[in-house]
Amino acid sequence: MIKTFMPSIKSAEELIQLQLNGLRWTVKHAFAGSPFYQKKMKEAGVQQQDINCIEDIQKLPFTTAEDLREGYPFPLLSVPIEQVVRIHASSGTTGKRKVLCYTEKDLRDWSDMFARCYEMAGLTPADRVQVAVGYGLWTAGVGFQMGAERFGAMAVPVGPGNLDMHCELMVDLQTTVFCCTASMGLLMAEEIKRRGLREKISLRKMIFGAERHSQAMRRNIEGYLGVEDTFDIPGLTELYGPGTGLECPAHEGIHYWADYYILEIIDPHTLKPLPPGEEGEMVVTTLRKEAAPLIRYRTRDLTKVIPGRCSCGNILPRHDKILGRSDDMFIIRGVNIYPGQIDHILSQVPQVGSEFQVFLKRKPDGKDYMAIKAERAEGGGRKRDKALAAHLENLINRQLLVSGKVEIVDFQSLPRTERKSKRVFDER
Ligand code: DLL
C-alpha cells in the first residue's frame, strides 16, 4: 500500500478538536518566543488560557503584511535563531521583502503538506514531476521539489523559462506531471503545439498556481497538451509556500489542509467573520508552525469557504479558487473592478483568447478611461474584429457598469511570461 499523507481524522468534531489544540499550542508558543506577538497579545489582553473553544480565535489580534515588514529581517520569529535552518522571501511590490524563517520541523511539515497535494492529484511514485517554477528565495521551486521527493515521485528540477530544455526533457524523460504558474503553463502549451510535440510527450497532469487563471486559459492549456487533468494549487510564502491545499479531482473547490491551519473568511471592512458561502478576505492561523507562526494573518486574498461535503469524498474542508487580491482592485469612474471580472467576461466569448491587458488612463479632460487589449482566439480572422470588440464593450458595460474601449489584437501578440503575469497597467 502506498503511504498516505491524508490526516487520520474521521469527523468534523475531531478536526475542530485538533485545531483547538493546535491553536492553543500556537498562542502559547508565540507568546513565549516572540516579543512581537507577546506585545500584541498583551495589548489585546488575551493569553492561552482565554482560548477554550475554536470561536475564541476571534479574541486574538490580526497580523498583517505591514507587521512582517516592520519586523524585517526576521519577523514573527518565535524560536531561537539557531533553530532556523532556512529562510524564504517573497518580493512584494512595496518596501522590504517579507522574509520567513523555517525550522527543520517546519520544512518536514511543509513537505508532508505538499506530498498530500500530489496524493490528491492522483499521482503515484511512478510519476515524473517536471518543476517549472522559480528556485531560490521564492518558495515555489523547492516546495514542488521537496513535496515530490517526500511523496516518492521523481522530481525534475528545471525552473521557469528555458523552453528548449523543458521540451527536450519532457520528450526524453517522458515527464508525466508539469508544475508551473498558469502563465508558464500557457507558454509551454503553446510551445509544445508550435513544435508539434504533442504526440511525443506523455504528460498526464498539470498543477498550476501562484496566480489566478481564467477558464479560457485553462481550456487552452488542456487542449494544446491533451492532459487528463489540471489542478489549481494555492499557497503563499507566509504560510510555508505553495501546497496549502489542492483542487480535488471532482473540481468542486480547493481542499485546504485544515489540520495545519485555520482559515477564516472576514469582511475586510468590518473585520468580522463571514459565514461559509460568503466572499471575503482569507485570514490564516497556523497550528504547528514553529519559526514564524501566523496568528490571524490577513492574506489580502479573496475567496469563500464552500459549505457542505465534496463529492470526491474527502473530508477536508474547501475554499473556492482565489478570486483575486484586495490590492488588485482598481477603481474607474467610481466602480470597483477586480481583474478576475475581466477574465470572466472574456472567458464567455470563444472568439477571444485568454490573454488581455487593461490600461487605465486619465485624459486632459480629467476623466478616467479604461482601454482593453484582448487577443483574438487562435485561427480567428481579422474581419470580425470590429463586431467582436463591440460585443465585448457591450458585455463590459452591462456586467461591470462602466465603459471600456476594446481593441482586438493578434493571437499571441501580447507578452507571455514564465512567472506571474501582470495584466493591469494603471497609468493615471
Ligand atoms: O506564489 C506560492 C506559490 C507558488 C503558490 C507556486 C502556488 C504555486 P507568494 O509569491 O508569496 O507565494 O505569493 C502568494 O500569490 O497570496 C495569492 O495572491 C497568489 N496566489 C498563489 N497561488 C494562487 C492560486 C506563491 N492558485 C500570493 N490562484 C497569494 C490565485 C494565487 N492566486
Side-chain angles (χ1 to χ4, degrees):
M1 203 188 84
I2 302 175
K3 180 174 169 30
T4 179
F5 293 92
M6 292 294 166
S8 58
I9 42 166
K10 296 273 173 296
S11 66
E13 294 70 39
E14 232 183 297
L15 176 61
I16 288 175
Q17 191 53 49
L18 191 149
Q19 289 188 326
L20 180 59
N21 295 344
L23 178 61
R24 286 175 58 88
W25 176 84
T26 296
V27 167
K28 187 171 173 205
H29 171 74
F31 191 92
S34 149
F36 164 79
Y37 276 128
Q38 190 173 103
K39 179 162 173 278
K40 271 214 142 175
M41 283 191 240
K42 278 189 177 152
E43 278 166 10
V46 53
Q47 297 183 41
Q48 190 206 26
Q49 51 266 39
D50 301 314
I51 309 294
N52 297 307
C53 64
I54 206 77
E55 289 74 26
D56 285 341
I57 193 171
Q58 289 170 41
K59 294 179 181 165
L60 293 163
F62 291 104
T63 309
T64 62
E66 288 69 48
D67 293 328
L68 283 181
R69 292 211 177 84
E70 276 169 25
Y72 185 84
F74 300 122
L76 317 184
L77 186 67
S78 302
V79 295
I81 194 86
E82 296 77 24
Q83 289 177 26
V84 172
V85 299
R86 195 197 290 167
I87 62 115
H88 279 292
S90 84
S91 51
T93 42
T94 49
K96 283 285 190 193
R97 305 172 191 285
K98 294 179 234 165
V99 179
L100 276 298
C101 295
Y102 300 71
T103 63
E104 195 257 324
K105 177 177 181 292
D106 291 336
L107 294 180
R108 252 187 293 133
D109 284 344
W110 181 23
S111 312
D112 284 345
M113 288 164 77
F114 215 126
R116 186 186 289 175
C117 297
Y118 289 126
E119 183 174 340
M120 178 154 274
L123 268 64
T124 75
D127 274 299
R128 297 163 184 199
V129 182
Q130 195 158 319
V131 181
V133 285
Y135 280 80
L137 272 183
W138 201 27
T139 49
V142 70
F144 278 93
Q145 174 167 341
M146 270 189 339
E149 291 164 353
R150 178 81 182 107
F151 179 74
M154 180 203 290
V156 183
V158 186
N162 211 337
L163 292 176
D164 282 340
M165 193 189 289
H166 271 297
C167 290
E168 183 185 322
L169 292 173
M170 194 174 275
V171 173
D172 293 353
L173 304 184
Q174 292 289 288
T175 302
T176 55
V177 181
F178 194 71
C179 301
C180 51
T181 61
S183 299
M184 175 67 189
L186 182 67
L187 195 64
M188 189 65 184
E190 288 177 346
E191 191 65 16
I192 294 284
K193 177 152 195 287
R194 198 177 64 78
R195 298 186 186 203
L197 293 177
R198 185 165 156 182
E199 302 310 317
K200 297 203 173 112
I201 61 171
S202 298
L203 204 60
R204 297 196 304 130
K205 296 179 178 188
M206 277 176 92
I207 301 178
F208 45 71
E211 57 177 354
R212 218 185 54 253
H213 65 267
S214 68
Q215 276 314 312
M217 197 168 177
R218 192 153 175 172
R219 276 198 305 269
N220 284 346
I221 296 174
E222 290 176 343
Y224 289 161
L225 292 171
V227 286
E228 283 164 25
D229 219 344
T230 51
F231 302 90
D232 189 0
I233 189 167
L236 58 159
T237 312
E238 298 89 312
L239 188 57
Y240 302 92
T244 56
L246 195 85
E247 182 176 342
C248 71
H251 302 291
E252 291 173 10
I254 292 171
H255 287 271
Y256 66 90
W257 309 152
D259 49 337
Y260 286 87
Y261 64 97
I262 295 174
L263 173 69
E264 295 173 89
I265 302 290
I266 62 160
D267 177 322
H269 305 293
T270 65
L271 306 184
K272 293 278 175 260
L274 290 171
E278 279 188 37
E279 189 184 313
E281 182 180 337
M282 206 168 126
V283 170
V284 291
T285 302
T286 54
L287 303 173
R288 21 181 142 173
K289 202 161 175 272
E290 292 181 338
L294 301 179
I295 295 183
R296 303 196 87 197
Y297 179 70
R298 294 187 58 184
T299 65
R300 307 270 165 197
D301 285 331
L302 302 170
T303 187
K304 56 177 177 294
V305 164
I306 302 179
R309 279 288 285 273
C310 181
S311 69
C312 82
N314 194 297
I315 172 176
L316 287 164
R318 290 169 295 163
H319 66 72
D320 202 355
K321 60 177 190 271
I322 292 161
L323 305 165
R325 290 179 61 78
S326 52
D327 349 19
D328 290 345
M329 188 192 79
F330 57 86
I331 303 179
I332 179 107
R333 299 198 175 191
V335 181
N336 299 355
I337 299 179
Y338 287 96
Q341 293 175 282
I342 307 214
D343 282 0
H344 183 71
I345 292 177
L346 297 181
S347 290
Q348 296 162 17
V349 181
Q351 293 83 3
V352 286
S354 60
E355 294 314 291
F356 67 92
Q357 288 185 335
V358 178
F359 299 89
L360 306 170
K361 295 188 174 72
R362 183 156 297 151
K363 296 243 172 108
D365 62 5
K367 286 192 188 146
D368 289 349
Y369 290 85
M370 175 166 73
I372 299 172
K373 285 185 183 180
E375 275 187 13
R376 195 179 308 114
E378 190 187 10
R382 285 195 185 146
K383 269 211 317 268
R384 293 203 56 245
D385 280 0
K386 244 177 128 179
L388 188 54
H391 178 52
L392 286 170
E393 283 170 4
N394 188 17
L395 285 179
I396 287 167
N397 217 324
R398 281 206 326 251
Q399 296 184 18
L400 302 182
L401 306 177
V402 68
S403 62
K405 182 101 196 93
V406 176
E407 181 193 350
I408 305 294
V409 298
D410 285 344
F411 175 65
Q412 285 187 335
S413 65
L414 293 177
R416 300 291 193 263
T417 159
E418 75 259 15
R419 294 173 191 267
K420 304 193 193 200
S421 291
K422 178 172 167 59
R423 297 194 174 89
V424 178
F425 301 87
D426 196 339
E427 296 166 354
R428 293 174 291 184

